[in-house]
Amino acid sequence: MSTPFSTSSAPLTPGPSSPRPSVIQLAIKEKAALYAAYIPLFTDGGVFIPTARDYKLGDDVYVLLTLPEDPQRYPVAGKVAWVTPAKAAGNRTQGVGIRFPADDKSKQLKLKIEEILGAHLASDRPTQTI
């Protein structure tokens, strides 16, 4: 059985005084997984990424996002705006919420995600964040 999404991450080479941003590849394979990962509460959109790696609020993260039935990878230079720690209440998946930047590419990505999800956005099913 395949998983509804897959992730992988690797650190980028940091500059002399910058922290170590990382690159995360997130391939979301099913609409239900996209619904669970998408964070519409962030003004510019965002996604939840399951990961055991420790991140802090405000950390820079570069995400290469693949959406269901779309071979294109969407690059997002986001920031950690949500952290679900290990052993969180309610058996929540450990990971981070990445806030999309306020730029045109991210606005287009947010619109594309919301177009894919359509009526699912109004659902009251639980997600990985709220």
Side-chain angles (χ1 to χ4, degrees), residues 8-9 11 17 23-24 34-36 39 55 57-58 60 62-63 72 88 92 102 104 108 112 120 126 129:
S8 64
S9 63
S17 63
V23 175
I24 299 175
L34 179 60
Y35 171 80
I39 307 173
Y55 287 94
L57 292 176
D60 292 318
Y62 190 77
V63 180
Q72 183 173 342
R92 294 229 178 253
D104 286 339
Q108 294 302 316
K112 180 151 189 71
H120 291 280
T129 55

Coordinates of all heavy atoms in Angstrom, one line a residue, residues 8-9 11 17 23-24 34-36 39 55 57-58 60 62-63 72 88 92 102 104 108 112 120 126 129:
S8 N 11.1 14.2 1.8 CA 12.5 14.0 2.1 C 13.1 15.4 2.3 O 12.6 16.4 1.8 CB 13.2 13.3 0.9 OG 13.1 14.1 -0.3
S9 N 14.2 15.4 3.1 CA 14.8 16.7 3.4 C 16.3 16.6 3.4 O 16.8 15.5 3.6 CB 14.3 17.3 4.7 OG 14.7 16.5 5.7
P11 N 19.8 19.5 4.2 CA 20.2 20.8 4.6 C 20.8 21.5 3.3 O 21.5 20.9 2.5 CB 21.2 20.7 5.7 CG 21.7 19.3 5.5 CD 20.6 18.5 4.9
S17 N 26.7 33.7 8.1 CA 26.1 34.0 9.4 C 24.6 33.5 9.4 O 23.8 33.9 10.2 CB 26.1 35.5 9.6 OG 25.4 36.2 8.6
V23 N 15.9 21.9 2.6 CA 15.1 21.7 1.4 C 14.2 20.4 1.7 O 14.7 19.4 2.1 CB 15.9 21.4 0.1 CG1 15.0 21.0 -1.0 CG2 16.7 22.6 -0.2
I24 N 12.9 20.6 1.6 CA 12.0 19.4 1.8 C 11.2 19.2 0.6 O 10.6 20.1 0.0 CB 11.0 19.7 3.0 CG1 11.8 20.0 4.3 CG2 10.0 18.6 3.1 CD1 10.9 20.4 5.4
L34 N -3.9 16.1 0.5 CA -3.8 17.6 0.3 C -4.7 18.3 1.3 O -4.3 19.3 1.9 CB -4.1 18.0 -1.1 CG -4.0 19.5 -1.5 CD1 -2.5 20.0 -1.2 CD2 -4.3 19.7 -3.0
Y35 N -5.9 17.9 1.4 CA -6.9 18.5 2.3 C -6.3 18.5 3.8 O -6.3 19.5 4.5 CB -8.2 17.8 2.3 CG -9.1 18.3 3.4 CD1 -9.8 19.5 3.3 CD2 -9.3 17.6 4.6 CE1 -10.7 19.9 4.3 CE2 -10.1 18.0 5.6 CZ -10.8 19.2 5.5 OH -11.6 19.7 6.5
A36 N -5.7 17.3 4.2 CA -5.2 17.2 5.5 C -3.9 18.1 5.7 O -3.7 18.5 6.8 CB -4.8 15.7 5.8
I39 N -3.1 24.4 4.8 CA -3.4 25.3 5.9 C -4.0 26.6 5.4 O -3.3 27.6 5.1 CB -2.2 25.6 6.8 CG1 -1.5 24.3 7.2 CG2 -2.6 26.5 8.0 CD1 -0.2 24.6 7.9
Y55 N 12.4 21.8 14.2 CA 12.4 23.1 13.6 C 11.8 24.0 14.7 O 11.1 23.6 15.6 CB 11.4 23.1 12.4 CG 11.9 22.5 11.2 CD1 11.6 21.1 10.9 CD2 12.7 23.1 10.3 CE1 12.1 20.5 9.8 CE2 13.2 22.5 9.1 CZ 12.9 21.2 8.9 OH 13.4 20.6 7.7
L57 N 9.9 28.0 15.3 CA 9.1 29.0 14.6 C 10.0 30.0 13.9 O 10.9 30.4 14.5 CB 8.1 29.7 15.6 CG 7.0 28.8 16.1 CD1 6.2 29.5 17.2 CD2 6.1 28.3 15.0
G58 N 9.7 30.4 12.7 CA 10.5 31.3 12.0 C 11.6 30.8 11.1 O 12.2 31.5 10.3
D60 N 13.6 29.3 8.2 CA 13.4 29.3 6.7 C 13.4 27.8 6.2 O 14.3 27.0 6.6 CB 14.5 30.1 6.0 CG 14.4 31.5 6.3 OD1 13.3 32.1 6.3 OD2 15.4 32.2 6.5
Y62 N 12.8 25.6 2.4 CA 12.6 25.6 1.0 C 11.9 24.3 0.7 O 12.4 23.2 0.9 CB 13.9 25.7 0.2 CG 13.7 26.0 -1.2 CD1 13.4 27.3 -1.7 CD2 13.9 25.0 -2.2 CE1 13.2 27.5 -3.1 CE2 13.8 25.2 -3.5 CZ 13.4 26.5 -3.9 OH 13.3 26.7 -5.3
V63 N 10.6 24.4 0.2 CA 9.8 23.3 -0.1 C 9.6 23.1 -1.6 O 9.3 24.1 -2.3 CB 8.4 23.4 0.6 CG1 7.5 22.2 0.3 CG2 8.5 23.6 2.0
Q72 N 4.3 18.8 -12.1 CA 5.1 20.0 -11.8 C 5.5 20.0 -10.3 O 4.7 19.7 -9.4 CB 4.4 21.3 -12.2 CG 5.2 22.5 -12.0 CD 4.6 23.7 -12.5 OE1 3.7 23.7 -13.3 NE2 5.0 24.9 -12.1
A88 N 2.4 14.7 20.6 CA 1.4 15.7 20.8 C 0.1 15.1 21.2 O -0.2 14.0 20.9 CB 1.3 16.5 19.5
R92 N -1.6 13.5 17.3 CA -1.3 14.3 16.1 C 0.0 13.9 15.5 O 1.0 13.6 16.3 CB -1.3 15.8 16.4 CG -2.7 16.3 16.8 CD -3.0 17.6 16.0 NE -4.3 18.1 16.3 CZ -5.3 18.0 15.5 NH1 -5.1 17.4 14.3 NH2 -6.5 18.5 15.8
A102 N 4.4 36.0 0.8 CA 3.4 36.8 0.2 C 4.0 37.3 -1.2 O 4.4 38.4 -1.4 CB 3.1 38.0 1.1
D104 N 3.7 36.5 -5.8 CA 2.8 36.1 -6.8 C 2.8 34.6 -7.0 O 1.7 34.0 -7.2 CB 3.0 36.9 -8.1 CG 2.6 38.3 -8.1 OD1 1.7 38.6 -7.2 OD2 3.1 39.1 -8.9
Q108 N -0.5 32.1 -6.7 CA -1.0 31.2 -7.7 C -1.0 29.8 -7.2 O -2.0 29.0 -7.5 CB 0.0 31.3 -8.9 CG 0.0 32.6 -9.7 CD -1.4 33.0 -10.2 OE1 -2.1 32.1 -10.7 NE2 -1.8 34.2 -10.0
K112 N -4.3 27.4 -6.9 CA -4.3 26.0 -7.5 C -4.7 25.0 -6.5 O -5.5 24.1 -6.8 CB -2.9 25.7 -8.1 CG -2.8 24.3 -8.7 CD -1.8 24.3 -9.8 CE -1.9 23.0 -10.6 NZ -3.0 22.9 -11.5
H120 N -14.2 20.6 -0.9 CA -13.6 20.0 0.3 C -13.1 21.0 1.3 O -13.0 20.7 2.5 CB -12.4 19.1 -0.1 CG -12.7 17.9 -0.8 ND1 -13.2 16.8 -0.2 CD2 -12.7 17.6 -2.1 CE1 -13.5 15.8 -1.1 NE2 -13.2 16.3 -2.3
P126 N -11.3 16.6 10.2 CA -10.1 17.1 10.9 C -8.9 17.1 9.9 O -8.9 16.3 8.9 CB -9.8 16.1 12.0 CG -10.7 14.9 11.7 CD -11.8 15.4 10.8
T129 N -3.5 19.9 11.2 CA -3.2 21.1 12.0 C -4.3 21.5 12.9 O -4.1 21.8 14.1 CB -2.8 22.3 11.1 OG1 -3.9 22.5 10.2 CG2 -1.5 22.0 10.3

